[in-house]
Amino acid sequence: RRLWARCHSSRVSVRSSQAEWRPRSLAEASCQSFDSKRCHQEIAVPASNTRVSGPVTMRSKVHPTVSVVIPTYNRAALIGRSIHSVLNQSYADFEVLVIDDGSIDDTAGVVAGFSDPRINYIRLAKNAGAGAARNIGIRMSKGKFIAFQDSDDEWLPQKLAKHMSVLGESSPRLGVVYSDMHRILFDGSVIYYAAPVVVPGRLVNPVNQFYQAWMLGIQSTVIKRECLDAVGYFNEALPACEDLELFIRLSKQFEFFQ
């Protein structure tokens, strides 16, 4: 088990405290209008109707191995740190796709301040949600592997190298590599989040009687594109927990490595 991601709480983050992040009961984990029954049914994920508006700046090379998708909304004060942590990876064969989900702050200016040719900036016509933004990023990406980062989080420098050392020699059954995380609160205190063990084909963890993929951070994952193509992308109809629902579909068919 290794830690390769650091997760910073912020005033614009929906994950700003431990109390918000962990449900008190199975019913409360429905995440607003999220229907838990749909998690373990076959779901047809529709193609996105989200429009892309200018500017679109595509500068990355033709065939990067990894595509890093960063959705963002009004996080100009934080996204620079997130991008820096990606650019500082020891593994360098990647492109970055920043999907601006209709921000009205200076997100575009912050991203434009980076001259690295691996960075691509795509602005959506209006705010469509994290699921839709990530789906746009997947569809516009070129990599064989898709890594997800959030705009208020940081990666440790060896994160991609460690993940790709596993994926590069993996079997066709392996679909997702992930890690534990640190959550850094306003006062500087750090909470260690141990990621769950995900067993292929299992929906519920028998120990805590809850979804086994709960508490698996999307920003800690690298996923094979072919596996995403096989199960479908993020369900844009969900207002929250769209990453959990995707993990449930992936775990039906593919192995996860922690």
Side-chain angles (χ1 to χ4, degrees):
R1 181 173 296 185
R2 295 291 185 269
L3 168 75
W4 301 116
R6 296 170 69 86
C7 184
H8 294 267
S9 295
S10 67
R11 289 182 174 82
V12 293
S13 173
V14 298
R15 301 172 179 176
S16 59
S17 73
Q18 189 174 15
E20 291 176 341
W21 185 242
R22 188 182 299 275
R24 291 189 293 270
S25 68
L26 182 62
E28 287 184 9
S30 59
C31 297
Q32 300 176 26
S33 60
F34 176 62
D35 183 358
S36 61
K37 293 180 180 179
R38 300 181 65 194
C39 278
H40 51 277
Q41 297 173 349
E42 294 299 327
I43 298 176
V45 180
S48 175
N49 293 319
T50 304
R51 290 195 304 111
V52 175
S53 68
V56 175
T57 305
M58 302 295 288
R59 301 182 295 190
S60 60
K61 70 178 190 177
V62 178
H63 295 297
T65 300
V66 179
S67 295
V68 182
V69 176
I70 309 178
T72 188
Y73 178 66
N74 287 343
R75 282 182 172 163
L78 297 170
I79 191 171
R81 186 169 59 186
S82 176
I83 294 173
H84 271 299
S85 78
V86 176
L87 298 180
N88 287 337
Q89 293 297 298
S90 60
Y91 181 94
D93 185 10
F94 62 83
E95 64 174 349
V96 180
L97 295 98
V98 178
I99 313 300
D100 187 340
D101 194 15
S103 297
I104 57 174
D105 62 1
D106 191 36
T107 293
V110 173
V111 178
F114 289 90
S115 59
D116 195 299
R118 293 172 294 182
I119 297 176
N120 307 287
Y121 175 77
I122 300 96
R123 178 177 172 81
L124 305 188
K126 62 179 181 179
N127 182 258
R134 291 190 183 109
N135 285 347
I136 289 288
I138 296 169
R139 292 187 176 98
M140 298 188 74
S141 66
K142 310 180 190 78
K144 182 179 178 181
F145 303 93
I146 310 297
F148 295 98
Q149 170 68 308
D150 281 350
S151 55
D152 63 337
D153 297 331
E154 292 181 59
W155 285 349
L156 298 180
Q158 297 295 318
K159 186 258 203 273
L160 277 183
K162 294 292 185 179
H163 286 214
M164 294 308 298
S165 69
V166 175
L167 287 164
E169 302 295 331
S170 65
S171 73
R173 285 282 297 160
L174 179 62
V176 183
V177 175
Y178 64 101
S179 67
D180 297 347
M181 297 188 299
H182 273 148
R183 184 166 298 281
I184 303 171
L185 305 181
F186 286 120
D187 61 3
S189 59
V190 178
I191 299 174
Y192 191 96
Y193 279 94
V197 175
V198 179
V199 178
R202 186 177 75 177
L203 177 65
V204 174
N205 183 329
V207 176
N208 60 16
Q209 294 296 302
F210 198 65
Y211 296 123
Q212 66 165 348
W214 180 254
M215 294 295 290
L216 199 170
I218 186 66
Q219 63 274 67
S220 81
T221 63
V222 180
I223 306 175
K224 289 180 180 177
R225 175 187 291 278
E226 63 194 71
C227 299
L228 288 169
D229 290 341
V231 304
Y233 300 167
F234 293 91
N235 191 324
E236 298 177 16
L238 299 180
C241 297
E242 71 284 344
D243 47 358
L244 171 62
E245 191 272 335
L246 174 62
F247 293 147
I248 290 172
R249 282 186 278 123
L250 284 165
S251 68
K252 285 185 176 183
Q253 300 185 39
F254 302 103
E255 296 174 353
F256 285 53
F257 183 92
Q258 184 180 12

mmCIF file of all heavy atoms in Angstrom, residues 14-39:
data_model
loop_
_atom_site.group_PDB
_atom_site.id
_atom_site.type_symbol
_atom_site.label_atom_id
_atom_site.label_comp_id
_atom_site.label_asym_id
_atom_site.label_seq_id
_atom_site.Cartn_x
_atom_site.Cartn_y
_atom_site.Cartn_z
ATOM 1 N N VAL A 14 -16.010 20.243 -2.230
ATOM 2 C CA VAL A 14 -17.127 19.568 -1.579
ATOM 3 C C VAL A 14 -16.615 18.524 -0.602
ATOM 4 O O VAL A 14 -17.400 17.868 0.066
ATOM 5 C CB VAL A 14 -18.041 18.891 -2.614
ATOM 6 C CG1 VAL A 14 -18.643 19.919 -3.536
ATOM 7 C CG2 VAL A 14 -17.303 17.826 -3.409
ATOM 8 N N ARG A 15 -15.315 18.334 -0.514
ATOM 9 C CA ARG A 15 -14.741 17.332 0.376
ATOM 10 C C ARG A 15 -13.911 18.045 1.439
ATOM 11 O O ARG A 15 -12.752 17.753 1.652
ATOM 12 C CB ARG A 15 -13.869 16.353 -0.414
ATOM 13 C CG ARG A 15 -14.650 15.635 -1.508
ATOM 14 C CD ARG A 15 -13.731 14.835 -2.394
ATOM 15 N NE ARG A 15 -14.500 14.143 -3.428
ATOM 16 C CZ ARG A 15 -13.950 13.428 -4.390
ATOM 17 N NH1 ARG A 15 -12.655 13.312 -4.452
ATOM 18 N NH2 ARG A 15 -14.697 12.819 -5.292
ATOM 19 N N SER A 16 -14.507 19.016 2.097
ATOM 20 C CA SER A 16 -13.723 19.874 2.976
ATOM 21 C C SER A 16 -13.596 19.357 4.390
ATOM 22 O O SER A 16 -12.881 19.951 5.179
ATOM 23 C CB SER A 16 -14.349 21.273 3.004
ATOM 24 O OG SER A 16 -15.685 21.206 3.458
ATOM 25 N N SER A 17 -14.278 18.280 4.724
ATOM 26 C CA SER A 17 -14.136 17.757 6.074
ATOM 27 C C SER A 17 -14.444 16.280 6.104
ATOM 28 O O SER A 17 -15.126 15.750 5.235
ATOM 29 C CB SER A 17 -15.086 18.489 7.033
ATOM 30 O OG SER A 17 -16.418 18.097 6.810
ATOM 31 N N GLN A 18 -13.964 15.625 7.141
ATOM 32 C CA GLN A 18 -14.197 14.196 7.269
ATOM 33 C C GLN A 18 -15.679 13.910 7.441
ATOM 34 O O GLN A 18 -16.196 12.911 6.975
ATOM 35 C CB GLN A 18 -13.406 13.649 8.446
ATOM 36 C CG GLN A 18 -13.413 12.128 8.549
ATOM 37 C CD GLN A 18 -12.512 11.629 9.634
ATOM 38 O OE1 GLN A 18 -12.095 12.399 10.486
ATOM 39 N NE2 GLN A 18 -12.197 10.353 9.602
ATOM 40 N N ALA A 19 -16.380 14.816 8.116
ATOM 41 C CA ALA A 19 -17.803 14.598 8.341
ATOM 42 C C ALA A 19 -18.590 14.590 7.040
ATOM 43 O O ALA A 19 -19.543 13.837 6.873
ATOM 44 C CB ALA A 19 -18.344 15.693 9.267
ATOM 45 N N GLU A 20 -18.207 15.451 6.098
ATOM 46 C CA GLU A 20 -18.882 15.481 4.810
ATOM 47 C C GLU A 20 -18.562 14.246 3.976
ATOM 48 O O GLU A 20 -19.360 13.815 3.163
ATOM 49 C CB GLU A 20 -18.466 16.719 4.026
ATOM 50 C CG GLU A 20 -18.994 18.012 4.615
ATOM 51 C CD GLU A 20 -18.470 19.205 3.857
ATOM 52 O OE1 GLU A 20 -17.464 19.084 3.146
ATOM 53 O OE2 GLU A 20 -19.066 20.275 4.003
ATOM 54 N N TRP A 21 -17.397 13.681 4.213
ATOM 55 C CA TRP A 21 -16.888 12.651 3.309
ATOM 56 C C TRP A 21 -17.407 11.273 3.658
ATOM 57 O O TRP A 21 -17.555 10.418 2.821
ATOM 58 C CB TRP A 21 -15.368 12.688 3.382
ATOM 59 C CG TRP A 21 -14.675 11.773 2.432
ATOM 60 C CD1 TRP A 21 -13.858 10.738 2.749
ATOM 61 C CD2 TRP A 21 -14.707 11.817 1.011
ATOM 62 N NE1 TRP A 21 -13.385 10.138 1.625
ATOM 63 C CE2 TRP A 21 -13.890 10.784 0.547
ATOM 64 C CE3 TRP A 21 -15.361 12.640 0.081
ATOM 65 C CZ2 TRP A 21 -13.698 10.539 -0.808
ATOM 66 C CZ3 TRP A 21 -15.159 12.396 -1.267
ATOM 67 C CH2 TRP A 21 -14.342 11.366 -1.693
ATOM 68 N N ARG A 22 -17.709 10.987 4.944
ATOM 69 C CA ARG A 22 -18.094 9.652 5.371
ATOM 70 C C ARG A 22 -19.562 9.649 5.798
ATOM 71 O O ARG A 22 -19.965 10.424 6.660
ATOM 72 C CB ARG A 22 -17.223 9.195 6.541
ATOM 73 C CG ARG A 22 -17.434 7.737 6.922
ATOM 74 C CD ARG A 22 -16.581 7.392 8.121
ATOM 75 N NE ARG A 22 -15.181 7.557 7.859
ATOM 76 C CZ ARG A 22 -14.419 6.617 7.291
ATOM 77 N NH1 ARG A 22 -14.937 5.455 6.963
ATOM 78 N NH2 ARG A 22 -13.141 6.840 7.084
ATOM 79 N N PRO A 23 -20.409 8.797 5.236
ATOM 80 C CA PRO A 23 -21.823 8.781 5.589
ATOM 81 C C PRO A 23 -22.035 8.173 6.966
ATOM 82 O O PRO A 23 -21.259 7.331 7.420
ATOM 83 C CB PRO A 23 -22.439 7.882 4.515
ATOM 84 C CG PRO A 23 -21.336 6.931 4.190
ATOM 85 C CD PRO A 23 -20.070 7.759 4.272
ATOM 86 N N ARG A 24 -23.105 8.607 7.655
ATOM 87 C CA ARG A 24 -23.452 8.022 8.931
ATOM 88 C C ARG A 24 -24.278 6.756 8.767
ATOM 89 O O ARG A 24 -24.394 5.961 9.665
ATOM 90 C CB ARG A 24 -24.217 9.039 9.776
ATOM 91 C CG ARG A 24 -23.367 10.213 10.243
ATOM 92 C CD ARG A 24 -24.111 11.051 11.244
ATOM 93 N NE ARG A 24 -25.252 11.710 10.627
ATOM 94 C CZ ARG A 24 -25.212 12.896 10.068
ATOM 95 N NH1 ARG A 24 -24.062 13.546 10.007
ATOM 96 N NH2 ARG A 24 -26.279 13.441 9.543
ATOM 97 N N SER A 25 -24.866 6.589 7.595
ATOM 98 C CA SER A 25 -25.659 5.395 7.364
ATOM 99 C C SER A 25 -25.693 5.097 5.878
ATOM 100 O O SER A 25 -25.328 5.930 5.054
ATOM 101 C CB SER A 25 -27.096 5.606 7.877
ATOM 102 O OG SER A 25 -27.767 6.563 7.075
ATOM 103 N N LEU A 26 -26.161 3.901 5.532
ATOM 104 C CA LEU A 26 -26.265 3.524 4.129
ATOM 105 C C LEU A 26 -27.221 4.441 3.388
ATOM 106 O O LEU A 26 -26.986 4.830 2.255
ATOM 107 C CB LEU A 26 -26.743 2.071 4.025
ATOM 108 C CG LEU A 26 -26.872 1.497 2.616
ATOM 109 C CD1 LEU A 26 -25.507 1.504 1.934
ATOM 110 C CD2 LEU A 26 -27.417 0.076 2.664
ATOM 111 N N ALA A 27 -28.301 4.843 4.044
ATOM 112 C CA ALA A 27 -29.286 5.709 3.386
ATOM 113 C C ALA A 27 -28.686 7.065 3.073
ATOM 114 O O ALA A 27 -28.923 7.641 2.016
ATOM 115 C CB ALA A 27 -30.520 5.873 4.276
ATOM 116 N N GLU A 28 -27.874 7.596 4.008
ATOM 117 C CA GLU A 28 -27.299 8.918 3.797
ATOM 118 C C GLU A 28 -26.254 8.906 2.694
ATOM 119 O O GLU A 28 -25.917 9.938 2.141
ATOM 120 C CB GLU A 28 -26.659 9.415 5.095
ATOM 121 C CG GLU A 28 -27.678 9.816 6.132
ATOM 122 C CD GLU A 28 -27.009 10.387 7.360
ATOM 123 O OE1 GLU A 28 -25.801 10.613 7.326
ATOM 124 O OE2 GLU A 28 -27.721 10.603 8.344
ATOM 125 N N ALA A 29 -25.744 7.744 2.366
ATOM 126 C CA ALA A 29 -24.727 7.654 1.320
ATOM 127 C C ALA A 29 -25.311 7.731 -0.071
ATOM 128 O O ALA A 29 -24.615 7.585 -1.052
ATOM 129 C CB ALA A 29 -23.963 6.346 1.456
ATOM 130 N N SER A 30 -26.620 7.983 -0.161
ATOM 131 C CA SER A 30 -27.255 8.077 -1.472
ATOM 132 C C SER A 30 -26.816 9.316 -2.216
ATOM 133 O O SER A 30 -27.099 9.470 -3.394
ATOM 134 C CB SER A 30 -28.777 8.083 -1.316
ATOM 135 O OG SER A 30 -29.189 9.169 -0.522
ATOM 136 N N CYS A 31 -26.120 10.238 -1.522
ATOM 137 C CA CYS A 31 -25.549 11.428 -2.188
ATOM 138 C C CYS A 31 -26.627 12.213 -2.931
ATOM 139 O O CYS A 31 -26.674 12.240 -4.159
ATOM 140 C CB CYS A 31 -24.423 11.032 -3.125
ATOM 141 S SG CYS A 31 -23.023 10.292 -2.296
ATOM 142 N N GLN A 32 -27.488 12.824 -2.178
ATOM 143 C CA GLN A 32 -28.592 13.616 -2.700
ATOM 144 C C GLN A 32 -29.547 12.718 -3.478
ATOM 145 O O GLN A 32 -30.153 11.824 -2.922
ATOM 146 C CB GLN A 32 -28.062 14.766 -3.564
ATOM 147 C CG GLN A 32 -27.140 15.698 -2.759
ATOM 148 C CD GLN A 32 -26.541 16.773 -3.604
ATOM 149 O OE1 GLN A 32 -27.097 17.171 -4.613
ATOM 150 N NE2 GLN A 32 -25.391 17.256 -3.192
ATOM 151 N N SER A 33 -29.674 12.911 -4.788
ATOM 152 C CA SER A 33 -30.648 12.140 -5.560
ATOM 153 C C SER A 33 -30.046 10.897 -6.188
ATOM 154 O O SER A 33 -30.636 10.277 -7.056
ATOM 155 C CB SER A 33 -31.253 13.017 -6.669
ATOM 156 O OG SER A 33 -30.255 13.471 -7.546
ATOM 157 N N PHE A 34 -28.850 10.509 -5.758
ATOM 158 C CA PHE A 34 -28.185 9.319 -6.291
ATOM 159 C C PHE A 34 -28.978 8.069 -5.918
ATOM 160 O O PHE A 34 -29.273 7.827 -4.758
ATOM 161 C CB PHE A 34 -26.770 9.253 -5.710
ATOM 162 C CG PHE A 34 -25.992 8.030 -6.089
ATOM 163 C CD1 PHE A 34 -25.700 7.774 -7.409
ATOM 164 C CD2 PHE A 34 -25.539 7.162 -5.115
ATOM 165 C CE1 PHE A 34 -24.950 6.667 -7.756
ATOM 166 C CE2 PHE A 34 -24.801 6.061 -5.451
ATOM 167 C CZ PHE A 34 -24.505 5.804 -6.770
ATOM 168 N N ASP A 35 -29.346 7.272 -6.890
ATOM 169 C CA ASP A 35 -30.130 6.065 -6.667
ATOM 170 C C ASP A 35 -29.196 4.872 -6.530
ATOM 171 O O ASP A 35 -28.625 4.409 -7.500
ATOM 172 C CB ASP A 35 -31.102 5.858 -7.849
ATOM 173 C CG ASP A 35 -32.002 4.647 -7.652
ATOM 174 O OD1 ASP A 35 -31.848 3.950 -6.626
ATOM 175 O OD2 ASP A 35 -32.854 4.414 -8.523
ATOM 176 N N SER A 36 -29.042 4.357 -5.308
ATOM 177 C CA SER A 36 -28.085 3.283 -5.082
ATOM 178 C C SER A 36 -28.443 2.022 -5.844
ATOM 179 O O SER A 36 -27.582 1.208 -6.156
ATOM 180 C CB SER A 36 -28.008 2.965 -3.582
ATOM 181 O OG SER A 36 -29.259 2.533 -3.092
ATOM 182 N N LYS A 37 -29.716 1.799 -6.170
ATOM 183 C CA LYS A 37 -30.103 0.598 -6.900
ATOM 184 C C LYS A 37 -29.494 0.582 -8.295
ATOM 185 O O LYS A 37 -29.266 -0.477 -8.872
ATOM 186 C CB LYS A 37 -31.623 0.509 -7.004
ATOM 187 C CG LYS A 37 -32.314 0.283 -5.658
ATOM 188 C CD LYS A 37 -33.817 0.194 -5.846
ATOM 189 C CE LYS A 37 -34.517 -0.041 -4.511
ATOM 190 N NZ LYS A 37 -35.998 -0.108 -4.682
ATOM 191 N N ARG A 38 -29.228 1.759 -8.845
ATOM 192 C CA ARG A 38 -28.686 1.827 -10.191
ATOM 193 C C ARG A 38 -27.218 1.440 -10.229
ATOM 194 O O ARG A 38 -26.678 1.135 -11.273
ATOM 195 C CB ARG A 38 -28.845 3.236 -10.758
ATOM 196 C CG ARG A 38 -30.290 3.694 -10.844
ATOM 197 C CD ARG A 38 -30.369 5.080 -11.435
ATOM 198 N NE ARG A 38 -29.905 5.098 -12.807
ATOM 199 C CZ ARG A 38 -29.617 6.213 -13.470
ATOM 200 N NH1 ARG A 38 -29.738 7.381 -12.873
ATOM 201 N NH2 ARG A 38 -29.190 6.154 -14.714
ATOM 202 N N CYS A 39 -26.564 1.457 -9.068
ATOM 203 C CA CYS A 39 -25.129 1.191 -9.032
ATOM 204 C C CYS A 39 -24.786 -0.193 -9.542
ATOM 205 O O CYS A 39 -23.747 -0.388 -10.146
ATOM 206 C CB CYS A 39 -24.603 1.337 -7.608
ATOM 207 S SG CYS A 39 -24.263 3.020 -7.136
#
